[in-house]
Every structure is written in structure tokens, then in C-alpha cells.
Amino acid sequence: MTEPSSKLQSLLDSGQFVVTCEIGPPKNASGTGITQHAAQLKAYAAAMNLTDNQTAIVRLSSIAAGVHVLAGGGEPIIQMTCRDRNRIALQSDLLGAYSLGLRNLLCLSGDHQAFGNHPAAKNVFDLDSIQLIKTVKDMRDSKVFHCGEKIKQDEPQFYIGAVANPFADPFEYRVHRLEKKIRAGAQFIQTQCIFDMQRFETFMDLARKRGLPERTHILAGVMPIKSAKVAKYMQKNVSGMLVPQAVIERLEQAEDQAQEGVKICIEQIRHLKTIPGIHGVHIMAVAWEEIVPSIVTGAGLMPRL
Amino acid sequence: MIVAAAKPWEEIMASLHGMHKVLVVGCGGCVAVCLAGGEKEAGIMASTLRMQRKLQGEPVETEEITLTRQCDPEYVRELGKKLEGVDGILSLACGVGVQVIAEHYPNIWVAPALNTKFAGATLEHGSWEERCGLCGDCVLGQTGGICPIIRCAKSLLNGPCGGSQDGKCEVKPNECAWNLIYERMGRLGRLNQLLEVAEAKDWSQGRDGGPRRVVREDVKLDD
Ligand code: SF4
Ligand code: SF4
């Protein structure tokens, strides 16, 4: 195929330390905000994730949001969850997304609908995230649909990403599950937000022992926290996220909590850069996208190519 | 067993509205074991129904019978002799039993007294939990005897997802099925089996194509 391939892939393959960030699509039918964010952030982030109805709350679709990012000159990473679509709809959306110029895909299971604004919805989970990764890879490399039927021409050639959560349990199995994702076809990995650095370093030790950073690009997830209140909420209510008490205390004692949150985030990035096997950072400034430039600059990651 | 639980009273009363004689039919199968639809529950149901209707000034006459199994035509045929003057049947069976009655008595109204919940097991006296989603293609042989289809909130075949923490599912207060699978496979020295990518499930064996059938020519009786 002749269309441009993934810029994110070229950057990661070139060995650069890459920054990605996240844009949450709105709960309405306007793409203007997304395009503006993309235009504002494109100098600071190699690519931007578009979440797929995150926490099971209905929002503008990630594929449409990706097109709005393109309009703003940014490089989109489309998130695709298994919660709402069966294998027919997933593959159909993959074809459609590729036809619209989207090149990067992040495969996830998806948050359970019990958390969202439609808890009475029926979930799908026809494929799981690992099976979705394999499906996307088979469509690209073997030119077949999930059922085995040949894709005669114009197969979608996505750059395939997945997530890893070093803070979920059982801990030792997290590295194995990451390896399963890599084996299924994940070329880049974005981790869950890191607050417990010690646990993350142990995770990376194990990953390095299994040679995983040589087989995929790992982007460490960070999140600037606006206040101690938000940190406490996440510590208590978000499954699979570990927020150490020390982080909460540091925020509580700060005069300007938001500024302290940014400072913590910058320190983390500077530290993450020194960990062998980390190929970049993924900044999740949910509903605080405009802070990304100061974080990237503060972490000494400017100018970017 | 099939686990069921009584419907709200208002719903039962509404479904028998205007009837003068109701046949209350218990079932001696699963619903008797889970204390929802056996002989005792059928008795209580009938007397409560009479009392409530009397209070409303619309008395009703009831008959009671509890069949060995309502899912079996052999037993359901026994109802024939009880139907004299009956204008409605209240079945305390699972949804299967209610339907077998409907199939055999096309001209008489039948209403369910229970909500059929799931295929499950007794945890302790008075407490039951789902164990099987009747998917038609059992994967317990890959997962150490713990069902990911029904016990994992996302039916993952390559779990656990990132929401698993301290053995709990992100959907509280459930246990994370994949954590249980991981621990059991570890105990049995079979963790390497979990490293293989499990293929997507063939849901054509599941509930998606209308009623499924099992036919065993070898056990059919010649006429
Ligand atoms: S895998 Fe299917 S048949 Fe086996 S226990 Fe689970 S739902 Fe039931
Ligand atoms: S936490 Fe465990 S049981 Fe719950 S959805 Fe995830 S893998 Fe399934």
C-alpha cells in the first residue's frame, strides 16, 4: 500500500525517547476541541491517544476523534476496546479507521460497563485484548480476516500497541501477560500510570530478564495529579492503580497542589528516562491536556524532532 | 443446578389478575433444592395468594401439586387431572418448566412465579453462586476447572485484565476468576499452559442461533 505509514513507528524504531499523550473525546458531537488540542500538542507529543469510551462513558468515537487529530496536524493513536463490539464490528471499524488515514492502534479489553453511565448495557467481549492484537496482526501480515478468509487487497497495516498494568495482580504474572501480548503482535506498549516507582522498577527488571524491551517499545505511563483529593480518589476507587501514601502527603503539604502534581510528574519522567528498556513516556493528563507542554518542557524533552 | 428466586409479589398478583381458580405447580428438581419452588414453597405461595386476594375482596381458589420435574413431559402430563375449572397455572419451576407446561396445555394461561437466575452451586445454606454460562463448548480443561466465561466479568480467555487487584475483580465484590485460575494452575505446576494465547471462542456453539438441541440416536426408544 502506498499511504503514509505510522510516524510513531518510525520514531520508536529510530531509538528516540518518545512522548505520547492522551486526548479524551468530548461527550458531544463536536470535534473542534480535539482539533485544537492536537494543534496545540503536536509539537510536544509524537502521537496522541484517543480513548474509546473510557470508563464506559459514552463519548465521541475514538476513530472519529482520530480524524479530528489529523485535521489539527497531530498523529493519532486510536484506542479500541473489546467491550462494545464483536469480531465483525471490530474488523469493520479497523478497515474504516485505516481508510480514514489512521495508522496506530492500541488494543484494550476495556473498562467494565458497571463503571460508566450505562450500567444496564450488555457487554460484548467476543474477543479479548490479546485476541484482538492477534486479529489486527493477522489482517496485516497474513492478509486474512479473523475467520481465515483472504483480504484480497488493501489490507489495513496498523502499527499495533497494547497496554500493560504493572500495578494489577497477580504481580509476577503481569510480565508474562505482557509477553503474551508481544507474542500476539504488540509492537509498542503503554503502561498504566506509574506512581509506585519501586514496583515499576521490579516489573522492568523482570521484563528485561525475559528480553521484552528488545521485542517491543515500552512507553511508561505518567499522570499529573491536580490535587490530593484526586489522588485519594484514585487510590481508593480505581482498580489496578496504586497511589502511594507518600504522593498524597506531598500533594497535601504543597501550597499549590496542581503545581506540585506537575513537579512530581516531571521528576518521574526524568527518573523513568534512566531506566533501561524504557523507550518513552505516555502522559495521561485527562481533562488537563493543556498542561502537557509544560511537563514535556520541564522534563527537558524539548525541542522534539 | 438451576438457581431461581421468587418474583416480586405485585408481579405475580398482576399475572393472575381476574382468575378465580389457580393451579399452583411446584417442581421437585433444582428449584426445590435451592428452596425457591419445591412443595413447601408451592404451599406457601398458594396460601399467600389466597390471603392477598381475600384482602383485596377478590377471593381465589387454589389447587396445589408438585411434580417430580416440570422439565419432563412425562411428569407434566400429570397436571391434566387437576385442571378441572382452573383458569390459570402458576408455575414455581425454572423457565424451562413453565414452557413445558405451556407446550402441553395450549389453551390455558401459565405464569412464572420465579425468576430463573443461573446455573450455579450452593456456597452455604441459603447462598448460591453462578458457575456455568452454558456456553456449549466447555473450556474448563484449559483453565484448571474455573470458568472464565461466567466468573470473569469480561469473559476473558487470556486474563486477568488490568483491573485485578488483591484477588478481587474490578467489578466489586467479585473474586477475580483469573486470579483463581492463576493460583490453581500454579499449585498444579501448570502455569506454562497459561502462556499460550487462547484462541477466540466459537460462539456458534453458544446461545446465538435459537434453541440448541442435543439428540442421542443411541438412546432413542423405538415406537
Ligand atoms: S466454559 Fe462454558 S460450559 Fe464450561 S463452565 Fe464455563 S460456561 Fe459452562
Ligand atoms: S478483574 Fe479478573 S474477573 Fe474481573 S474482569 Fe478482570 S480478569 Fe475478569
Side-chain angles (χ1 to χ4, degrees):
Chain A
M1 290 179 99
T2 51
E3 293 87 7
S5 56
S6 160
K7 285 183 216 146
L8 175 65
Q9 178 168 20
S10 337
L11 279 176
L12 281 169
D13 286 349
S14 76
Q16 277 194 59
F17 192 81
V18 164
V19 175
T20 58
C21 67
E22 198 154 296
I23 299 180
K27 288 162 93 171
N28 60 48
S30 167
T32 316
I34 302 171
T35 307
Q36 280 166 0
H37 277 312
Q40 184 199 6
L41 299 179
K42 67 181 173 193
Y44 301 90
M48 301 152 203
N49 284 39
L50 290 316
T51 47
D52 177 11
N53 298 298
Q54 199 175 13
T55 62
I57 288 173
V58 176
R59 293 174 179 277
L60 188 137
S61 85
S62 61
I63 292 172
V67 174
H68 296 307
V69 166
L70 287 176
E75 165 98 345
I77 302 172
I78 300 309
Q79 298 199 357
M80 187 172 266
T81 71
C82 299
R83 179 191 56 229
D84 309 321
R85 283 166 285 201
N86 68 8
R87 61 193 81 180
I88 300 172
L90 288 169
Q91 292 179 95
S92 165
D93 277 354
L94 287 170
L95 298 180
Y98 198 83
S99 78
L100 290 166
L102 306 172
R103 295 294 176 262
N104 309 301
L105 185 84
L106 188 82
C107 305
L108 315 92
S109 305
D111 299 313
H112 194 270
Q113 73 277 6
F115 298 105
N117 58 358
H118 290 74
K122 182 177 190 304
N123 66 32
V124 181
F125 296 113
D126 181 25
L127 303 183
D128 62 26
S129 57
I130 293 181
Q131 292 159 348
L132 175 60
I133 293 166
K134 186 164 180 299
T135 301
V136 185
K137 181 177 157 62
D138 287 346
M139 288 172 88
R140 182 189 66 197
D141 296 349
S142 313
K143 302 184 181 26
V144 287
F145 289 108
H146 186 275
C147 60
E149 188 186 312
K150 208 83 195 138
I151 306 176
K152 294 208 183 83
Q153 60 182 71
D154 297 320
E155 73 285 353
Q157 301 188 345
F158 282 105
Y159 184 46
I160 307 172
V163 293
N165 186 357
F167 310 103
D169 293 320
F171 177 65
E172 320 79 58
Y173 190 63
R174 289 293 142 189
V175 179
H176 293 294
R177 192 152 185 268
L178 170 58
E179 187 165 356
K180 263 178 110 164
K181 290 187 173 184
I182 296 170
R183 204 172 323 134
Q187 296 163 287
F188 71 98
I189 302 293
Q190 292 173 325
T191 76
Q192 172 67 289
C193 318
I194 300 159
F195 296 108
D196 184 340
M197 195 56 83
Q198 209 178 352
R199 175 151 161 158
F200 183 66
E201 294 204 45
T202 314
F203 175 84
M204 283 306 296
D205 266 346
L206 295 170
R208 280 194 303 272
K209 282 205 185 95
R210 297 189 76 92
L212 303 187
E214 284 85 56
R215 292 161 61 194
T216 194
H217 296 295
I218 301 178
L219 306 182
V222 292
M223 178 192 269
I225 311 185
K226 258 185 175 165
S227 66
K229 207 174 126 203
V230 173
K232 273 190 205 151
Y233 176 84
M234 292 195 306
Q235 184 189 49
K236 203 164 153 252
N237 297 311
V238 183
S239 295
M241 205 186 263
L242 291 181
V243 185
Q245 197 56 34
V247 172
I248 295 175
E249 279 164 21
R250 189 169 154 190
L251 285 167
E252 268 170 347
Q253 281 152 20
E255 228 163 81
D256 181 339
Q257 298 199 348
Q259 208 187 340
E260 193 66 17
V262 170
K263 228 173 114 190
I264 296 176
C265 189
I266 289 171
E267 284 167 23
Q268 281 181 326
I269 296 176
R270 286 181 181 274
H271 181 78
L272 286 164
K273 260 194 94 169
T274 67
I275 300 179
I278 296 294
H279 305 124
V281 283
H282 175 55
I283 305 172
M284 285 169 266
V286 186
W288 200 15
E289 286 88 352
E290 60 284 357
I291 198 68
V292 171
S294 348
I295 295 173
V296 178
T297 314
L301 296 172
M302 289 301 285
R304 309 206 55 78
L305 295 182
Chain B
M1 84 189 100
I2 301 284
V3 177
K7 278 183 172 294
W9 253 108
E10 305 70 53
E11 192 183 336
I12 296 173
M13 294 286 283
S15 68
L16 301 173
H17 181 76
M19 292 178 182
H20 303 294
K21 185 172 175 188
V22 171
L23 176 61
V24 178
V25 188
C27 177
C30 310
V31 293
V33 182
C34 68
L35 312 176
E39 192 168 5
K40 185 171 152 221
E41 291 79 23
I44 296 169
M45 187 72 77
S47 59
T48 317
L49 182 63
R50 284 194 307 272
M51 246 155 49
Q52 297 266 336
R53 287 280 287 264
K54 205 169 158 192
L55 283 175
Q56 289 178 356
E58 293 165 10
V60 65
E61 191 185 330
T62 60
E63 286 268 1
E64 280 164 50
I65 181 172
T66 294
L67 306 178
T68 308
R69 281 195 302 278
Q70 277 187 46
C71 54
D72 215 326
E74 181 188 336
Y75 301 110
V76 169
R77 282 189 208 107
E78 290 172 23
L79 289 187
K81 52 184 190 270
K82 285 273 196 179
L83 288 173
E84 183 78 37
V86 163
D87 41 13
I89 297 173
L90 180 64
S91 164
L92 279 82
C94 70
V96 179
V98 178
Q99 293 184 64
V100 175
I101 291 181
E103 280 160 36
H104 280 78
Y105 301 99
N107 299 320
I108 187 156
W109 180 253
V110 58
L114 306 183
N115 284 323
T116 306
K117 296 287 189 182
F118 50 74
T122 310
L123 296 183
E124 55 183 318
H125 193 74
S127 159
W128 298 269
E129 194 174 275
E130 188 165 21
R131 285 291 177 269
C132 173
L134 313 172
C135 76
D137 186 11
C138 192
V139 302
L140 288 177
Q142 297 163 40
T143 57
I146 293 158
C147 173
I149 302 300
I150 214 66
R151 295 174 72 178
C152 164
K154 300 177 186 170
S155 297
L156 304 181
L157 288 171
N158 292 285
C161 75
S164 175
Q165 213 156 45
D166 298 326
K168 291 283 176 202
C169 174
E170 67 177 37
V171 183
K172 307 268 158 39
N174 301 331
E175 280 181 299
C176 170
W178 272 100
N179 190 65
L180 295 173
I181 293 169
Y182 172 80
E183 284 180 350
R184 186 164 157 84
M185 293 296 263
R187 263 197 312 276
L188 298 175
R190 287 171 179 264
L191 273 185
N192 56 338
Q193 263 174 260
L194 294 184
L195 299 185
E196 299 303 317
V197 174
E199 296 283 332
K201 212 166 155 49
D202 175 2
W203 280 109
S204 70
Q205 302 299 308
R207 53 148 272 281
D208 288 24
R212 291 171 278 172
R213 257 168 236 109
V214 172
V215 180
R216 286 271 308 272
E217 294 297 341
D218 58 329
V219 294
K220 275 193 177 173
L221 299 175
D222 297 328
D223 301 317

